[in-house]
Amino acid sequence: MRKQICGIALVMILALLSVPAMAADTGSAAEAAAQDPEAYHAAHRTTEAAENQIVNPAERVMLFANSTMKSSYTGKTYVVPAGKKITEGIDVSKWDGTINWSKVKAAGTDFAIIRAGYTGYGNGSQYTDDTYATNMKNAAAVGMPVGVYIYSQATTTAEAKKEAQFCLNAVKGYSIKLPIVMDVEFAEDSSGYTGRLYQAKLSKSQQTSICLAFCETIKAAGYTPMVYANRSMLTDNMNASTISAKYPIWLANYTTSTSYSGDYSYWQYSETGRVDGINTAIDCNFRIQSGNQITETASISLNASSVERACGYTKQLTATVKPSGTSVTWTSSNTAIAKVSSSGKVTAVSPGKATITAAAGSVKATCTVTVRPAKVDVTQLKRTDAGYNQLSWNKSAGSSNYRIYRSSNGTSYTAIGTTTGTSYTDTSATADKAYYYKVIGQKTVSGTTYKSVNSAVASRAKIPGRVSISSAKSASRKITIRWKTASKADYYTVYRSTTGKSGSYKLVKTVKSGTTYTSAKLTKGKTYYFRIFSVRNTGGIRYQAKVRTYTIRVK
């Protein structure tokens, strides 16, 4: 981004450039001026003829379908892409001096991209452009759509992210309708190219990764990123097609008909234009609303401003933007709580709250997502040998503990206990009385307790009748047990132990038909212990009656 200056200002700049960059006196005006990589360009503008590209008519038709547009700033006619909306704008920095933005706007300027700052070409520090705040304020006052740029000297992805954060800090409080730009250029002095970026001798893949790191940081904050570079830099020093596949490119090529064949959304075609309100030569740009350029957006809204979901569940958010067809970027403030896909599908991950943001350019809409633990699925309610009610359930995603509630009428519930396990025995329940239970998973995050929905079950009304043995006989190393049909039982489970009445029992048979079980090939003279449960399955819950233990010796 090159500028013309003259007279006293030129003498001052050349004097400052003769002072070597030093780490001392960091932040001083002298150091900031000496570190500005745009200073030499400002004093030595490049004429249009030096970079003019000759394109034969056949190639021009292939690339641009031979459309033309006359510039308001240079008076010349330029070959531009056909069938696209072309608008005219400028980019400015302190080298343009004091700007009368009212006159610039009245002259027909459609947009402006303002320099937020630059990275020192010697020390790698970031500096704010002296006129940035004034330009942003006065451009906003006349309703000028703006973007911002930083003159980059990043040589690593970490430095690119630092430059991006510098820009994000700079745009706070401003309306940014156009991209935030990484201006990738080598610094120059009287000897030619110089500075840290030039001396780094980066490969094309390294430079590409640096540009992508900047863009990804800007995009993650909800803004539109863009990369500025001249034709040779795009062609020889980076893989421009990799960048343009995701983000807009701003081409700098001072010619009336560029031969650059890659994708670009802005074209800086001259640095020698003139516009009322600025006393210096200006950088002239066409904005080409095509390809991956995110168009200026008037509004964006979501189908929901708040959502509640249990862990593991999803919610599809949809964004309505004007104008329609504008690309939308989705981000989550905390992906550990709620993730969002590139299409707006939200997945609840862990209890807490997260903000989902949909952005189209600088316009944003948000949805607050509250995530609670998954519903507790009670799998069994049974009567223990002691006559207590015991509940069991599957682990609930997102729960750190469980709260158990009890009611005698199914309406008014009282908390009776908390556990980190997946079962609870109610020892205070009156025998043979009907109760209702709820088990709620919960987790406390930053002082707020998030709870699952209720999972209610009734006790006595659904527990089957207790098994009553009618006979138990042993003969020929067999034991045959018969019992009476238990009321409401769907089937029976038989458990056996050889280690004593209170020993370890194993399931040996599930009897789904009949009320008889025979255990064969037993050891003569050995005592076996049996427990037979009546079981009822309803609503996905297993209800089991309490049981007695039967002791039988094999004959």
Side-chain angles (χ1 to χ4, degrees):
M1 303 204 180
R2 302 171 178 178
K3 298 285 176 278
Q4 176 189 20
I5 64 172
C6 60
I8 295 174
L10 173 57
V11 174
M12 292 177 64
I13 293 301
L14 292 176
L16 288 171
L17 287 175
S18 66
V19 179
M22 296 181 294
D25 195 25
T26 300
S28 69
E31 182 196 66
Q35 287 292 316
D36 192 341
E38 201 164 343
Y40 188 84
H41 285 170
H44 301 80
R45 60 175 179 160
T46 301
T47 62
E48 182 175 302
E51 291 192 34
N52 193 42
Q53 304 295 326
I54 305 301
V55 184
N56 65 58
E59 183 180 7
R60 183 179 303 164
V61 170
M62 177 185 72
L63 295 176
F64 300 114
N66 207 25
S67 288
T68 60
M69 180 170 179
K70 187 175 182 179
S71 169
S72 302
Y73 306 127
T74 66
K76 296 180 180 181
T77 299
Y78 297 84
V79 177
V80 295
K84 305 300 180 183
K85 180 182 178 182
I86 309 293
T87 51
E88 292 185 290
I90 60 176
D91 58 89
V92 299
S93 69
K94 72 176 186 178
W95 304 112
D96 295 288
T98 301
I99 298 174
N100 185 323
W101 284 96
S102 294
K103 290 184 177 181
V104 170
K105 177 75 170 178
T109 299
D110 296 306
F111 65 88
I113 300 183
I114 298 170
R115 188 172 80 157
Y118 56 90
T119 294
Y121 72 94
N123 62 16
S125 298
Q126 277 75 53
Y127 300 92
T128 300
D129 187 287
D130 293 341
T131 59
Y132 173 68
T134 300
N135 281 334
M136 292 293 283
K137 176 183 176 182
N138 294 341
V142 300
M144 178 71 70
V146 299
V148 303
Y149 77 92
I150 182 172
Y151 198 121
S152 172
Q153 289 289 288
T155 61
T156 66
T157 55
E159 290 180 350
K161 293 176 182 178
K162 186 177 179 181
E163 289 182 341
Q165 191 58 55
F166 173 89
C167 291
L168 293 174
N169 292 337
V171 300
K172 289 179 180 177
Y174 295 110
S175 175
I176 307 299
K177 294 186 177 181
L178 300 179
I180 295 177
V181 186
M182 183 185 204
D183 175 2
V184 184
E185 297 182 70
F186 296 137
E188 292 183 60
D189 62 16
S190 59
S191 301
Y193 288 141
T194 188
R196 63 198 318 272
L197 179 58
Y198 176 69
Q199 293 164 358
K201 305 298 181 185
L202 300 173
S203 67
K204 293 178 74 171
S205 62
Q206 287 174 322
Q207 183 64 72
T208 302
S209 295
I210 289 169
C211 292
L212 291 175
F214 177 93
C215 291
E216 287 161 2
T217 304
I218 296 299
K219 179 181 178 181
Y223 295 91
T224 302
M226 185 161 68
V227 174
Y228 167 99
N230 62 35
R231 181 177 179 274
S232 61
M233 179 71 78
L234 289 169
T235 303
D236 302 332
N237 298 96
M238 65 179 73
N239 298 314
S241 61
T242 301
I243 299 170
S244 64
K246 296 182 177 181
Y247 307 108
I249 292 288
W250 183 1
L251 167 68
N253 194 192
Y254 302 151
T255 174
T256 56
S257 180
T258 181
S259 61
Y260 180 70
S261 60
D263 292 331
Y264 57 95
S265 301
Y266 287 69
W267 174 20
Q268 188 185 81
Y269 56 86
S270 176
E271 63 175 2
T272 58
R274 291 286 178 174
V275 68
D276 193 22
I278 301 179
N279 295 326
T280 66
I282 60 165
D283 286 347
C284 313
N285 300 277
F286 290 133
R287 181 187 182 197
I288 305 161
Q289 291 179 263
S290 61
N292 62 7
Q293 172 64 38
I294 296 179
T295 58
E296 184 177 326
T297 306
S299 66
I300 181 171
S301 60
L302 298 180
N303 59 325
S305 59
S306 62
V307 170
E308 281 196 7
R309 282 293 182 272
C311 289
Y313 285 80
T314 62
K315 169 67 177 180
Q316 180 65 54
L317 294 179
T318 56
T320 301
V321 293
K322 294 181 181 180
S324 60
T326 302
S327 298
V328 177
T329 301
W330 297 88
T331 56
S332 170
S333 64
N334 192 333
T335 55
I337 291 175
K339 299 186 296 184
V340 63
S341 71
S342 59
S343 62
K345 185 177 182 180
V346 178
T347 301
V349 179
S350 180
K353 285 190 176 182
T355 300
I356 303 299
T357 300
S362 61
V363 185
K364 303 176 183 179
T366 61
C367 175
T368 300
V369 178
T370 301
V371 180
R372 60 176 182 264
K375 178 183 177 182
V376 177
D377 290 322
V378 176
T379 57
Q380 179 172 279
L381 191 153
K382 69 178 183 178
R383 294 282 174 82
T384 66
D385 290 349
Y388 303 136
N389 293 334
Q390 186 181 79
L391 296 105
S392 299
W393 54 88
N394 292 327
K395 184 175 177 59
S396 158
S399 296
S400 59
N401 58 73
Y402 304 88
R403 189 77 164 159
I404 296 87
Y405 296 81
R406 188 181 70 191
S407 171
S408 58
N409 56 17
T411 302
S412 178
Y413 284 83
T414 301
I416 60 172
T418 302
T419 180
T420 57
T422 56
S423 66
Y424 181 81
T425 301
D426 180 9
T427 59
S428 63
T430 302
D432 294 326
K433 183 178 179 180
Y435 290 98
Y436 301 84
Y437 294 92
K438 290 180 179 180
V439 182
I440 297 177
Q442 55 188 24
K443 184 176 182 178
T444 300
V445 180
S446 300
T448 300
T449 300
Y450 297 88
K451 297 181 178 181
S452 70
V453 295
N454 296 329
S455 181
V457 294
S459 60
R460 191 183 68 179
K462 293 184 178 180
I463 291 178
R466 189 176 181 184
V467 170
S468 176
I469 299 293
S470 57
S471 66
K473 297 180 180 179
S474 173
S476 303
R477 297 175 58 195
K478 296 180 181 179
I479 291 178
T480 299
I481 303 173
R482 291 182 173 83
W483 58 90
K484 296 179 181 179
T485 300
S487 63
K488 300 181 181 179
D490 293 324
Y491 59 89
Y492 305 89
T493 54
V494 182
Y495 290 79
R496 187 179 68 193
S497 171
T498 59
T499 58
K501 186 176 182 179
S502 300
S504 176
Y505 286 80
K506 292 183 180 181
L507 176 66
V508 292
K509 185 69 174 180
T510 297
V511 180
K512 294 185 177 181
S513 177
T515 55
T516 301
Y517 168 71
T518 298
S519 185
K521 298 181 181 180
L522 302 179
T523 303
K524 189 174 181 179
K526 189 171 184 177
T527 300
Y528 292 85
Y529 307 86
F530 292 89
R531 290 179 176 176
I532 303 175
F533 296 89
S534 56
V535 182
R536 183 183 183 192
N537 266 337
T538 180
I541 300 173
R542 183 184 184 215
Y543 295 88
Q544 180 176 294
K546 64 180 180 179
V547 68
R548 293 190 182 94
T549 301
Y550 301 93
T551 304
I552 303 177
R553 184 179 178 86
V554 177
K555 295 181 179 179

